[in-house]
Amino acid sequence: MSHDHHEHDHDHDHEHDHGHGHPPGERHPFQPDLEDGPYTWHMALADAVEALLLEKGIFRPEEMRRTLEDIDSKTPANGARLVARAWVDPAFKARLLADVNAAAAELGIDAGPIPIRAVECRPGEHHVIVCTLCSCYPRLLLGAAPDWYKARAYRSRVVREPRAVLAELGLELSEEVAVVVHDSTAELRFMVLPERPAGTEGWDEARLAALVTRDCLIGVARPEVPRA
Amino acid sequence: MSGPFAPGRRVRVKALYPPGHTRTPWYTRGREGVILDLVDVEPDPEERAYGRPGLPAVPVWRVVFAQHELWPDYAGPAGDRVVVGIFEPWLEPVEERS
């Protein structure tokens, strides 16, 4: 794995003995604090709408805080549990493909009110999700989307040159495998049901779930068995 | 389901460019695809965006587009495709070619 010290953008505090844009001996420039950025039109709009909703009593501050905390408590581990169960239980897999929200409820996972559909990777067919119009993501199941998922580069390129985007993210697919991109435009979210990797025969669900990362659930990675 | 819209039917996305809020990605406009399935029947977001109820609700179809149909210079194999939810008012049927 190569690491280009001139390109990185990080907030670490390790020793600064490598060259990256400031002369040796000089202090590393501080990363800007949140308040140092501009207060944008959309930030003002969001604040104004929030204040109005509270003022009009549409919901109370504590309800809003609870909802935000609820979203923050969701993680890709929820999706990984669904995938692992589907791998070991064909009947559950059929129910997951029919209705993700109902299947999640079976495992005690509240996937929220917006319908989610699972798209299944098979030999010769790989699936990947995007929202080109904005940044729709099954966040009530998997938590907040990664920043790159919301970036214009991913959203515009993955429908135009998906193989190049996947390769940049570390997933090289042969021409024998069709790439199917799902663009979320309606009141429907997607998650990817990846293929179970070879070499996991007899594994229990917890061990299988540990292979399923957030990127696998978006479709920009495939579960891999760690090499011994 | 009767009418021109049903799974397996060939459709074209209208090449319209109205102002305001739509859910029809530009790259699909004027392009042909095949209906995969019905997502749902949803209040029209083009109306809801302006505070109107968007009723009657409109069907939303998942349409499969071949990448080579969307992007004539697409570099990948013929099986690559994009699946997009399209609100029915944006669709027109395409006569089957024999």
Side-chain angles (χ1 to χ4, degrees), chain A residues 47-61:
Chain A
D47 284 349
V49 170
E50 177 188 329
L52 279 169
L53 289 167
L54 294 171
E55 198 177 301
K56 287 173 174 287
I58 309 292
F59 50 73
R60 298 192 310 271

Side-chain angles (χ1 to χ4, degrees), chain B residues 57-80:
Chain B
V58 295
V60 187
W61 298 96
R62 284 205 299 168
V63 179
V64 183
F65 300 91
Q67 284 280 20
H68 285 278
E69 165 71 9
L70 296 175
W71 321 101
D73 64 344
Y74 184 74
D80 287 4

Side-chain angles (χ1 to χ4, degrees), chain B residues 3 20 23-24 27 31 33 41 54 64 70 73-74 81 85 91 93 95:
Chain B
R23 298 283 187 86
T24 308
Y27 67 86
R31 305 295 176 179
V41 179
V64 183
L70 296 175
D73 64 344
Y74 184 74
R81 50 204 191 267
L91 293 175
E95 306 71 44

Side-chain angles (χ1 to χ4, degrees), chain A residues 1-226:
Chain A
M1 184 144 52
S2 75
H3 186 93
D4 187 335
H5 280 248
H6 296 277
E7 298 266 331
H8 63 187
D9 170 20
H10 53 188
D11 55 3
H12 59 187
D13 58 1
H14 63 206
E15 292 299 318
H16 295 131
D17 53 0
H18 56 159
H20 66 161
H22 58 98
E26 271 185 35
R27 201 170 64 180
H28 192 295
F30 289 123
Q31 170 158 313
D33 284 312
L34 276 180
E35 297 85 343
D36 294 338
Y39 186 63
T40 64
W41 187 88
H42 286 98
M43 289 159 77
L45 178 66
D47 284 349
V49 170
E50 177 188 329
L52 279 169
L53 289 167
L54 294 171
E55 198 177 301
K56 287 173 174 287
I58 309 292
F59 50 73
R60 298 192 310 271
E62 54 273 26
E63 290 172 311
M64 177 155 146
R65 181 179 49 77
R66 238 192 339 267
T67 301
L68 292 174
E69 285 174 353
D70 185 45
I71 291 171
D72 281 349
S73 72
K74 303 297 175 72
T75 80
N78 285 336
R81 281 179 61 204
L82 297 177
V83 169
R85 175 66 63 89
W87 283 345
V88 301
D89 180 347
F92 180 82
K93 178 174 141 182
R95 296 198 295 279
L96 181 72
L97 291 171
D99 186 339
V100 169
N101 307 64
E106 285 183 41
L107 302 193
I109 298 168
D110 176 6
I114 302 175
I116 303 169
R117 203 168 296 192
V119 289
E120 182 188 8
C121 296
R122 300 191 191 96
E125 196 174 290
H126 181 80
H127 295 263
V128 56
I129 66 173
V130 67
C131 169
T132 58
L133 296 176
C134 48
S135 54
C136 296
Y137 185 76
R139 65 165 60 211
L140 293 175
L141 176 66
L142 305 181
D147 285 344
W148 56 259
Y149 181 88
K150 298 182 271 188
R152 192 166 54 219
Y154 177 76
R155 289 162 43 227
S156 58
R157 290 184 59 215
V158 80
V159 290
R160 178 74 177 86
E161 45 176 4
R163 288 173 185 273
V165 172
L166 293 175
E168 286 169 32
L169 291 167
L171 181 58
E172 301 260 7
L173 293 173
S174 93
E175 302 251 314
E176 312 301 309
V177 179
V179 175
V180 186
V181 182
H182 296 265
D183 188 358
S184 241
T185 54
E187 301 305 307
L188 177 65
R189 305 288 176 264
F190 296 97
M191 63 166 272
V192 172
L193 172 57
E195 282 179 83
R196 180 173 177 165
T200 59
E201 295 72 22
W203 288 27
D204 68 21
E205 277 180 58
R207 198 169 169 209
L208 289 168
L211 302 178
V212 183
T213 64
R214 178 198 66 197
D215 286 4
C216 296
L217 297 161
I218 298 174
V220 298
R222 292 202 277 209
E224 280 177 30
V225 178

